[in-house]
Amino acid sequence: MLNKLAIGGIKHRLRDYSVLFSGLMIAASIFYMFLSLALNKAFLKSNSPAQATAFIFGFGIVLLAIITIVYINYANKFLLSMRQKEYGMFMMLGAKSSKISKMIFVETFAIGAIATAVGSLIGIGITGFVGDLLIKNMDMQVSHFNSFYLPALLWTFVFFIVIFIFSALRNSISLRFTKVMTLLNMDSQPTKLKRNNAWTIIQSILGVILLAIGYWCMVKMGKDATFIFLGVPVALFTIVAGTYFVINSLTTTIINLLKRNTSFSQKGLNNFTLSQLNFRIADYTKILSMVSIMFALALGAITVGLGFRQQIDTVANGQNYYDASIRNINNKEQNLVDKIDHKKLTVYEFKNTKKFTYYRNSDLESQGFTYNKFSKSMISKEVPTHKSNPSVAFQLQNTIPVDEAAPQAKFVSDAKFDSLSGKPETMTFVKTDSFKNNLSTFKKISEIQAARYPAYKQFGGDKYSVYKNINSFFSGLEFMGFFLGIAFLAMLASCLMFKILSGAAGDVKRYNMLYKIGTRQKSLRQTINKEIAVLFSVPAVLGIVHVLVGLQMFKPLLYKPYMHIEVPFLIFFVLYLGYYFITRYLYKKIVLK
């Protein structure tokens, strides 16, 4: 009979349980996704040039474990709060507390175990899907990546099962020592808000100091790579603690100041919204701090991933001005070149001898030869048209394999060139408005050249070969950035959405009361929009600051870490806003008639 009543209670709250179950599945899938990279030493070693990558991922596991424990703790409280009144009724009807405790243990553990199993399977599928999507669509070269990685799967099961065993035991013990009347009236218990102004001030000062220490560590790591082994753990602790203190103190202070501003608080339902936020903030501080850290990790990972993508193009374009250099162009290569729009062709004739590679001086004077010149902070374009420039000869010789080129290049008159023995050859240089947009064409040209001239396979002097080598160097880092960014984005959105929706049932009475006294539905919707917007904005603002400072760490690896930063920010905010609109829609479906 007791089991039937328990199953009936679950069916009655199926919508709430679906929110809980989906949240736990997402947590398990994201945890597996991260471990599939973090525990795969072969992947980390072959795809990252930084020796400290495994060390950083180790701290990433610790941080994600803490975030997951906090998340599951909220889920556990949500599960218990849904059933407390029903458990009290069972005990009123004569059920023994030991029987109820056993039922709670089984229910909590079963939900956790099923969510872990399903979430791990989803994680394997998402890992494979995201990995294939990134590798194929972004021309990445990644080795030793496996969507199914047994150690990651086993550790995910061990971690979640242990946590759910402790959660089930805690729920059983908590219920056993709670009075029946307390369980029955749990929904009616008032929540007392305790405010200590002195402690709020101390928290704000302490939070700013801790964030300053964490930011200094990140800047220091960007200047001194050896500092990373000390800087990562210090920054991890200080930024997490500083974020918690800042959110807890500053948000409360700002809300109270707005409430005192009568011209603002007495307008419409602003006072109700501020009171709702003031009521929630103490309970939301941990989750908002956690989401802020994940926001920074997700946005930072995507920003760095796109930074490495731009780095590939920047370095490739910097190494070679021309997009292709074609020796003795044939019909097949000419057809490929003809299909390219917005191109400029520069053709040089040359003859190879033992001592010199001879070029026509008239070709240089009429066409010039463009090459890139490096300086500390920029890459400039040089277009000399006179043979006295030694860089021209050097750059031209770099387009011919060492085994086939003479030691030096020399420019001569047309008459002198024609009088030289040997068959004249041509080198056709192709420049387009975008190497990246014509990548597939240049790949084919490079492959044809390598087939015609075997020395070009090892030489790699053309732009596509340079791009290929750089891409293989940075692709692993780029892949990690995008992969982890997507994973953390899903995790943070799941955490915040779950926390907001888990408290929606308790808000039904408040909004119902406002509706009964004549408040329009439009005003109620606007109030909900503002409240949820604040809860999404607080971690976003702090997360952006974390990212802007954190990019300093990547200065040794990124040519310009802040270049085109608006692109990843825009992509991320579009996705983040999507989660905001979904959350407020689901929240309205629960609390409004």
Side-chain angles (χ1 to χ4, degrees):
M1 182 66 182
L2 195 61
N3 290 332
K4 288 183 179 180
L5 289 172
I7 294 171
I10 292 174
K11 289 181 179 179
H12 177 67
R13 292 181 176 270
L14 194 60
R15 183 173 60 183
D16 294 332
Y17 270 85
S18 63
V19 173
L20 170 68
F21 194 74
S22 60
L24 294 175
M25 284 194 304
I26 291 174
S29 61
I30 301 305
F31 195 83
Y32 171 82
M33 287 178 69
F34 186 86
L35 290 189
S36 67
L37 298 188
L39 298 181
N40 192 339
K41 293 182 179 179
F43 170 83
L44 296 178
K45 187 176 181 180
S46 60
N47 294 286
S48 173
Q51 294 181 353
T53 302
F55 174 77
I56 295 171
F57 266 89
F59 274 95
I61 293 173
V62 174
L63 179 61
L64 185 61
I66 294 171
I67 291 171
T68 306
I69 289 171
V70 174
Y71 180 65
I72 292 176
N73 181 51
Y74 277 114
N76 183 55
K77 288 182 179 178
F78 176 55
L79 174 63
L80 190 60
S81 65
M82 285 194 301
R83 304 299 304 277
Q84 281 176 331
K85 193 170 184 178
E86 293 174 17
Y87 294 146
M89 291 178 64
F90 295 159
M91 294 171 72
M92 284 284 290
L93 294 172
K96 294 180 180 180
S97 59
S98 59
K99 194 82 172 177
I100 298 294
S101 297
K102 183 179 178 181
M103 186 176 68
I104 292 172
F105 181 91
V106 172
E107 182 180 329
T108 305
F109 182 78
I111 290 174
I114 295 171
T116 302
V118 177
S120 297
L121 292 175
I122 293 173
I124 293 171
I126 295 176
T127 300
F129 173 76
V130 173
D132 291 342
L133 185 69
L134 292 174
I135 292 170
K136 291 178 181 178
N137 291 351
M138 303 194 74
D139 193 35
M140 295 180 182
Q141 297 178 19
V142 179
S143 58
H144 298 99
F145 171 73
N146 298 305
S147 59
F148 176 77
Y149 191 61
L150 185 59
L153 183 64
L154 294 176
W155 276 110
T156 301
F157 269 98
V158 170
F159 180 77
F160 276 85
I161 294 301
V162 169
I163 290 177
F164 280 115
I165 288 175
F166 278 105
S167 298
L169 287 172
R170 192 176 71 172
N171 284 353
S172 300
I173 294 170
S174 174
L175 188 78
R176 200 160 189 169
F177 288 95
T178 305
K179 296 179 181 179
V180 176
M181 293 305 296
T182 303
L183 291 173
L184 291 172
N185 298 304
M186 190 65 70
D187 292 340
S188 304
Q189 296 293 324
T191 303
K192 295 181 180 180
L193 297 177
K194 295 181 181 180
R195 299 287 184 228
N196 187 324
N197 293 333
W199 175 234
T200 300
I201 295 171
I202 293 172
Q203 281 189 91
S204 60
I205 296 172
L206 190 60
V208 171
I209 292 173
L210 288 171
L211 286 179
I213 294 172
Y215 292 161
W216 177 83
C217 287
M218 289 194 290
V219 174
K220 178 71 173 175
M221 282 186 278
K223 296 178 179 178
D224 182 7
T226 59
F227 185 71
I228 196 169
F229 295 99
L230 177 62
V232 168
V234 173
L236 180 65
F237 172 77
T238 54
I239 290 176
V240 171
T243 300
Y244 175 83
F245 288 134
V246 167
I247 288 179
N248 194 39
S249 58
L250 291 185
T251 50
T252 304
T253 303
I254 293 171
I255 290 170
N256 288 330
L257 289 174
L258 290 174
K259 288 190 74 174
R260 291 174 186 174
N261 186 353
T262 55
S263 60
F264 176 81
S265 61
Q266 299 303 320
K267 186 178 180 180
L269 292 176
N270 285 346
N271 194 42
F272 173 78
T273 305
L274 291 171
S275 298
Q276 278 277 90
L277 290 170
N278 200 33
F279 172 75
R280 291 182 188 278
I281 204 66
D283 186 40
Y284 272 65
T285 301
K286 290 180 183 178
I287 197 77
L288 290 178
S289 303
M290 189 171 70
V291 169
S292 178
I293 298 298
M294 285 191 292
F295 186 98
L297 291 172
L299 179 56
I302 292 174
T303 302
V304 171
L306 276 175
F308 283 121
R309 163 59 47 178
Q310 294 164 358
Q311 184 90 336
I312 295 170
D313 297 334
T314 301
V315 176
N317 289 324
Q319 290 286 337
N320 295 63
Y321 173 79
Y322 292 106
D323 297 328
S325 52
I326 309 171
R327 186 174 180 179
N328 299 323
I329 189 168
N330 62 16
N331 292 332
K332 192 173 184 180
E333 291 164 333
Q334 186 65 55
N335 291 333
L336 290 170
V337 172
D338 290 340
K339 293 178 182 178
I340 301 174
D341 296 325
H342 309 292
K343 61 183 178 293
K344 180 183 177 182
L345 303 182
T346 303
V347 182
Y348 274 79
E349 274 193 287
F350 67 94
K351 289 182 180 180
N352 254 333
T353 64
K354 291 182 179 180
K355 291 184 178 182
F356 296 100
T357 300
Y358 291 95
Y359 293 90
R360 291 183 183 273
N361 190 42
S362 59
D363 288 342
L364 178 63
E365 291 176 346
S366 61
Q367 302 174 100
F369 183 83
T370 309
Y371 66 91
N372 289 327
K373 183 178 180 182
F374 286 87
S375 63
K376 289 184 178 180
S377 59
M378 61 182 295
I379 300 171
S380 59
K381 184 174 70 173
E382 297 288 328
V383 193
T385 58
H386 196 272
K387 63 182 180 181
S388 62
N389 190 315
S391 296
V392 176
F394 175 77
Q395 295 289 340
L396 279 169
Q397 289 297 87
N398 282 343
T399 62
I400 305 174
V402 178
D403 296 340
E404 299 184 10
Q408 295 180 358
K410 195 172 185 179
F411 290 94
V412 296
S413 64
D414 289 353
K416 175 69 173 176
F417 185 87
D418 293 335
S419 66
L420 293 170
S421 61
K423 184 180 179 182
E425 298 185 70
T426 62
M427 188 68 75
T428 304
F429 298 98
V430 184
K431 179 63 179 175
T432 66
D433 57 351
S434 175
F435 170 76
K436 189 175 180 180
N437 292 342
N438 298 287
L439 188 63
S440 59
T441 301
F442 291 124
K443 179 182 178 180
K444 292 176 183 177
I445 292 173
S446 180
E447 290 172 348
I448 294 172
Q449 282 281 289
R452 291 176 61 196
Y453 302 98
Y456 278 78
K457 289 182 180 179
Q458 301 297 326
F459 174 59
D462 64 309
K463 193 169 188 175
Y464 178 77
S465 298
V466 172
Y467 170 86
K468 188 177 179 181
N469 292 332
I470 298 169
N471 191 33
S472 64
F473 181 80
F474 284 112
S475 282
L477 295 171
E478 180 190 358
F479 177 82
M480 291 179 202
F482 279 107
F483 188 89
L484 296 178
I486 294 170
F488 280 119
L489 176 61
M491 185 70 174
L492 78 89
S494 171
C495 287
L496 191 53
M497 184 187 297
F498 171 73
K499 180 60 181 172
I500 293 172
L501 295 179
S502 65
D507 293 334
V508 173
K509 293 180 181 179
R510 299 184 185 94
Y511 283 97
N512 192 30
M513 181 173 61
L514 288 173
Y515 179 74
K516 286 181 178 179
I517 62 176
T519 307
R520 293 180 301 172
Q521 285 279 350
K522 183 180 179 181
S523 298
L524 294 176
R525 290 193 182 95
Q526 290 176 347
T527 299
I528 292 172
N529 293 344
K530 292 176 184 177
E531 184 180 337
I532 297 177
V534 170
L535 295 176
F536 268 78
S537 299
V538 169
V541 171
L542 207 52
I544 290 171
V545 178
H546 293 341
V547 172
L548 292 176
V549 179
L551 286 175
Q552 291 288 320
M553 292 191 299
F554 294 91
K555 275 191 171 182
L557 291 174
L558 293 176
Y559 177 63
K560 291 183 178 179
Y562 296 96
M563 185 172 65
H564 301 308
I565 195 174
E566 69 280 358
V567 176
F569 272 58
L570 181 62
I571 294 172
F572 191 87
F573 278 116
V574 169
L575 297 173
Y576 193 65
L577 279 173
Y579 280 110
Y580 161 71
F581 287 119
I582 292 171
T583 303
R584 78 180 199 182
Y585 170 78
L586 295 174
Y587 186 86
K588 289 174 186 177
K589 291 283 287 183
I590 296 173
V591 302
L592 296 181
K593 289 187 177 181

